[in-house]
C-alpha cells in the first residue's frame, strides 16, 4: 500500500498521515481477524467479537479513504498527460 501511494506521487506528509494514525493499526488487526477466521486452529478462532467487527469496519473505511486519495492523485496526473 505504501508503494502504491509513493508511485502515485502522493506527498510524503500525506503518506505518513495515512500510515501513522491508529486506523492503519486497525487494518493490521482486521487482517489478523481475517487470518484467524480463514485458518482457525481452535474453536475460539471462529468467534467474532464486537471489537473484531469494529476493527474490520474501521479498516474498511480507512482503506476506502486511502485508495480514494491515491486515485484522485492518479486521475489528476492522467488529466495533465491527456489534456
Amino acid at each position: 500500500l505504501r508503494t502504491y501511494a509513493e508511485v502515485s506521487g502522493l506527498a510524503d506528509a500525506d503518506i505518513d498521515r495515512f500510515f501513522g494514525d491508529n486506523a492503519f493499526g486497525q487494518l493490521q488487526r482486521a487482517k489478523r481477524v481475517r487470518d484467524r477466521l480463514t485458518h482457525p486452529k481452535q474453536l475460539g478462532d471462529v468467534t467474532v467479537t464486537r471489537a473484531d467487527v469494529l476493527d474490520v469496519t474501521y479498516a474498511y473505511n480507512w482503506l476506502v479513504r486511502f485508495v480514494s486519495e491515491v486515485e484522485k492523485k492518479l486521475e489528476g496526473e492522467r488529466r495533465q498527460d491527456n489534456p
Side-chain angles (χ1 to χ4, degrees):
L1 291 172
R2 184 177 284 276
T3 301
Y4 177 54
E6 290 170 352
V7 168
S8 78
L10 209 59
D12 289 342
D14 291 330
I15 294 171
D16 291 342
R17 177 176 49 87
F18 274 109
F19 287 92
D21 68 6
N22 186 45
F24 183 68
Q26 288 169 327
L27 179 66
Q28 292 171 319
R29 287 192 298 277
K31 181 189 176 299
R32 287 192 291 273
V33 170
R34 178 250 176 228
D35 291 346
R36 189 186 78 227
L37 292 171
T38 306
H39 307 287
K41 305 289 188 262
Q42 53 191 352
L43 185 58
D45 289 346
V46 295
T47 301
V48 178
T49 67
R50 181 175 173 85
D52 292 338
V53 172
L54 288 174
D55 281 340
V56 170
T57 302
Y58 292 141
Y60 172 80
N61 291 333
W62 177 89
L63 190 60
V64 167
R65 283 192 318 272
F66 174 77
V67 170
S68 294
E69 189 77 22
V70 171
E71 287 298 317
K72 277 193 282 185
K73 180 72 173 165
L74 290 172
E75 185 61 31
E77 289 179 10
R78 284 186 207 116
R79 286 185 183 159
Q80 289 176 356
D81 290 343
N82 299 315

